[in-house]
Amino acid sequence: MCIYSGRIDAELELGDRVIILKDDGAVVVHGKNSTNAKNWMPAGSEWQEQPGRYTSEHVKRKEKLEIYVQQVFAEMHCNAELDGKLIKIGSEREMSDLLAAQMDRIEPGLMLVAREAATPVGPIDILATDNEATPVIVEIKRGAGVSSETAYQLDRYREALPKMPQWEGTKPRCILVAPGLKKGVRELLKEKEIGYVRIGYQDLKEELRQVSRKRRSAS
Amino acid sequence: MCIYSGRIDAELELGDRVIILKDDGAVVVHGKNSTNAKNWMPAGSEWQEQPGRYTSEHVKRKEKLEIYVQQVFAEMHCNAELDGKLIKIGSEREMSDLLAAQMDRIEPGLMLVAREAATPVGPIDILATDNEATPVIVEIKRGAGVSSETAYQLDRYREALPKMPQWEGTKPRCILVAPGLKKGVRELLKEKEIGYVRIGYQDLKEELRQVSRKRRSAS
DNA sequence: GCAACGAGTCGCTAT
DNA sequence: ATAGCGATTCGTTGC
């Protein structure tokens, strides 16, 4: 049974648990189902043991987890030495990199102006110009369920850009690149005259792997 | 060493790992640090074992995790029977419940009209009216770092409401209730004339616990 | 050091 | 079954 107190208060009822203590002070309590832990404590927490009661406390964060143990099924210690890192292929950043180098996939004739172009309302993934020198704001999402939020975000970019000295007097266009949209977003995009190009990780997979291979061999 | 392929491609380099197999088919691979798993598979995955190579596959989702094992430090099986659930006090929903019953804490004179009031641009946490029958849109956030996004969201509610038959001709006000804001959001709220009331979980803690106690004794 | 933002986000609730 | 949205979100990158 666990009692957590901190950013919320919570009680995890009695049950069979797997408790992991990490080297950095993190604590993880898993239940019988699901990928996520039921309870946890962040790195930097202090572990203490008393008979039948373990506690983990993070003083600075004012968080505390009490674990009441009735029976220990098994216990093991392991000196974790090796901790190879996780290499990911296909993050939004990587997809953005690839598309910035192959802008014709988004729309023929686009010319790259800037990545993560700063505006008062946030950074634009890819800023480009078309054949007519009209600025084109490109937003890339890797997830299939793009919400209406993204449409509003693009709207804000489009509104903010002409207020910047470099883009005064322009009428920017917007293009959303994503593998899929949530219900109703298609209509919202049309209404707001935001273009939509359906590209997802699966479409770029092979090329992304090649790029990744090159990068690894280069380093 | 793990190879994941699915929504992304990833390689987890060799290291000391804790692997958990859950009853529902979920798989979790933890490294030496941090609360989060390095790799995982969702519930419903199928587990297979070969010498030195384990695989977990979720056919429908087209996801696969291969785990290459050099040495097994320890292995244990446990029939997880009991799995008490997690009871949380202080979720946004609970805070919203409490504040809806004590609207004076937000602003004296407010009268509750609806919870999760539907609008074309999303549901309003708490919809109220003030002494002058002006609609008041209340948004509640439990996290300390409320972003500018929330201000825009409230703006959209305020714009959408007068277009609904019941609220035609009204000029709604907005109030944000949260324990804290991200940098610059305070200014944005002022600019948009959105009210801000600083209330967080810590302020409501005692009352939330009481409500929770009552509910438990009632059931 | 904090702030901004993506995530293989996950998981829950209502439709 | 799906959509919408909160989360003790976490973790990484940039400033």
Side-chain angles (χ1 to χ4, degrees), chain A residues 93-108:
Chain A
R93 179 69 215 196
E94 277 191 334
M95 284 181 56
S96 181
D97 285 349
L98 185 66
L99 288 170
Q102 301 184 22
M103 301 253 286
D104 283 356
R105 295 189 79 140
I106 302 171
E107 186 183 284

Side-chain angles (χ1 to χ4, degrees), chain B residues 22-56:
Chain B
K22 299 289 190 84
D23 286 358
D24 61 359
V27 179
V28 185
V29 181
H30 272 271
K32 73 178 282 202
N33 280 327
S34 91
T35 55
N36 268 53
K38 298 283 187 200
N39 278 126
W40 68 93
M41 285 294 284
S45 302
E46 278 174 55
W47 181 256
Q48 287 200 348
E49 298 197 8
Q50 293 165 31
R53 179 172 178 268
Y54 309 147
T55 59
S56 173

